[in-house]
Amino acid sequence: MYFDRTLSSIVKNANLTFPVVLITGPRQVGKSTLFEKICEPDRTVLTLDDPKILALAKDDPALFLQTYKPPLFIDEIQYAPELFPYIKMAVDREKQKGMFWLTGSQPFQLMKRVSESLAGRVAILELQGLSQAERFGRQGIAFVPDTLQADNRPSLPINDVYELILKGSYPELNASPDMKRSLFYSSYLKTYIERDIRSLAKITDEHRFVQFISVVAARTAQLLNYDDMAHDVGVSVNTIKMWISLLETSGLIYLLHPYHNNLTNRVIKTPKLYFLDTGLCSYLTGWDAIETISAGAMNGAFLETYVISEILKSYLHTGKNAKFYFYRDKEKREIDLLIERNGKYYPVEVKRSASPSNDDVRHFNVLEKLKIPAGKGAIVCLYEQLLPLNRDVDIVPISYLG
């Protein structure tokens, strides 16, 4: 089963504008499949997972590009960074659009090479796992509260929401009903550590690194606290900082930074941490049934993580820059998400409730006090219909994400 990806149309447009199109993102989110589904008949498809092709790319990149001429699709380009200068020379010589399609699942190393060799010549797009819209066969749109319109889409009951959370967003797992969830995620972690982490950092204790990822997962939707994690894992704070950077640059976690301006001298300045795949997050924290995850101690954190990740995907998969923040000050006034669009900030609150009230969004008024230009707000919750809560805030059901 193939899921149509919202990013496909963005890739097609980029192909008409740039000589190189690069899709980055975590392993197994569908980067190669997306390209393959829209690939033209005359484009040569190569994967650097093939040892012979990889050897040629690394040992003689000039001969590689003489042997395989554009238009080319090169999968897992990070394994042969030697190709980048030669791709640049080919692009500058031919000056054609759509010459090279590239995928890479190690942005940490990849982006440095891209910025050095292909600046101004490449469209860089990021793909995450399936969005909610893609799972239900819809083309996603960037989430902005004041553009939402009521339609006839079915609501998502609480058990359906937590089923999506538990399943996660990896296409292979969603396309195969009979695939064992635990087998998929255990294999995913093994591949991630062996193929990505070992090449990025000298990690001698894999068991401790897996313990670290589990500790991070247990803190999804919380403020980032290096000291606590260092204590729980038994490594130094500097090691935790390095490992967090690895998870962020490889697309497994997202750090949501706090908003501040000249008037916000009492705000919390620590970012919040979100695991980007709730299925992997629930696997790492030991939740494996809808009934237990929906009623367990982390049910609110999982719901908030799901909503934030879905809104983030709605921007990444439409090729838009996600300018996201949260607000929290020392008076404990908090706004879960601030979306910046066209000079306005749209406040979003996430509530595990089917009965939202004005009290749930009482902190939205801090924007006016701080002279922050505000757009329409949203409370994303388990209510079944898209309706106004008041003049400035809409009730947004989970089903309207993406």
Side-chain angles (χ1 to χ4, degrees), residues 286-356:
W287 300 95
D288 58 6
I290 296 170
E291 296 77 13
T292 55
I293 195 173
S294 64
M298 289 185 66
N299 59 23
F302 277 121
L303 185 67
E304 183 179 333
T305 299
Y306 180 76
V307 170
I308 297 297
S309 65
E310 285 299 317
I311 295 176
L312 178 64
K313 282 185 277 192
S314 80
Y315 280 74
L316 297 178
H317 293 181
T318 52
K320 292 181 170 58
N321 187 16
K323 296 182 179 179
F324 292 177
Y325 310 91
F326 77 98
Y327 181 88
R328 181 184 289 185
D329 59 28
K330 294 177 181 177
E331 284 74 38
K332 298 185 179 180
R333 295 176 297 188
E334 182 173 2
I335 300 172
D336 288 333
L337 179 66
L338 288 173
I339 302 172
E340 182 186 351
R341 286 292 300 271
N342 301 318
K344 286 186 177 180
Y345 292 82
Y346 297 85
V348 178
E349 190 71 17
V350 183
K351 287 292 180 185
R352 188 181 177 278
S353 169
S355 306

Side-chain angles (χ1 to χ4, degrees), residues 16-166:
L16 300 175
T17 308
F18 290 88
V20 183
V21 181
L22 167 66
I23 301 181
T24 68
R27 289 195 171 277
Q28 298 186 34
V29 294
K31 302 182 294 296
S32 305
T33 304
L34 188 158
F35 269 144
E36 288 166 359
K37 289 295 180 181
I38 63 173
C39 194
E40 315 96 320
D42 63 337
R43 185 176 296 272
T44 302
V45 179
L46 301 168
T47 176
L48 297 186
D49 277 330
D50 186 316
K52 290 184 179 179
I53 294 175
L54 176 60
L56 179 60
K58 291 182 73 66
D59 297 340
D60 197 339
L63 180 60
F64 179 94
L65 289 181
Q66 289 175 24
T67 305
Y68 305 108
K69 297 184 181 298
L72 277 179
F73 164 29
I74 306 174
D75 193 25
E76 302 290 5
I77 187 67
Q78 76 273 2
Y79 293 138
E82 295 85 356
L83 284 173
F84 283 114
Y86 293 88
I87 291 174
K88 175 181 180 293
M89 287 188 285
V91 164
D92 290 348
R93 182 176 61 249
E94 301 295 333
K95 295 182 170 57
Q96 299 293 318
K97 308 302 182 189
M99 292 176 63
F100 295 94
W101 290 358
L102 312 173
T103 69
S105 51
Q106 290 181 3
F108 190 85
Q109 290 180 330
L110 188 60
M111 298 316 299
K112 183 175 185 295
R113 293 282 188 171
V114 169
S115 61
E116 289 172 351
S117 302
L118 298 177
R121 303 167 179 85
V122 59
I124 302 171
L125 303 169
E126 182 177 344
L127 186 69
Q128 279 286 332
L130 295 171
S131 69
Q132 180 176 279
E134 291 164 344
R135 287 201 238 190
F136 291 117
R138 298 193 303 267
Q139 280 292 299
I141 58 172
F143 180 90
V144 186
D146 67 1
T147 63
L148 297 174
Q149 294 184 344
D151 56 32
N152 60 355
R153 74 182 68 187
S155 62
L156 281 172
I158 184 168
N159 279 356
D160 290 5
V161 172
Y162 280 96
E163 183 177 3
L164 292 173
I165 288 171
L166 196 66

Side-chain angles (χ1 to χ4, degrees), residues 214-229 232 244 253-258 268-276 281 285 287 296-306 308 326-328 334-336:
S214 300
V215 165
V216 172
R219 286 164 169 75
T220 191
Q222 294 183 23
L223 291 175
L224 181 59
N225 190 318
Y226 295 113
D227 292 324
D228 278 0
M229 284 190 281
D232 287 353
I244 285 288
I253 65 170
Y254 175 66
L255 298 184
L256 180 64
H257 291 273
I268 303 298
K269 296 182 180 178
T270 304
K272 288 181 77 172
L273 181 153
Y274 291 96
F275 230 84
L276 283 176
C281 186
T285 50
W287 300 95
M298 289 185 66
N299 59 23
F302 277 121
L303 185 67
E304 183 179 333
T305 299
Y306 180 76
I308 297 297
F326 77 98
Y327 181 88
R328 181 184 289 185
E334 182 173 2
I335 300 172
D336 288 333

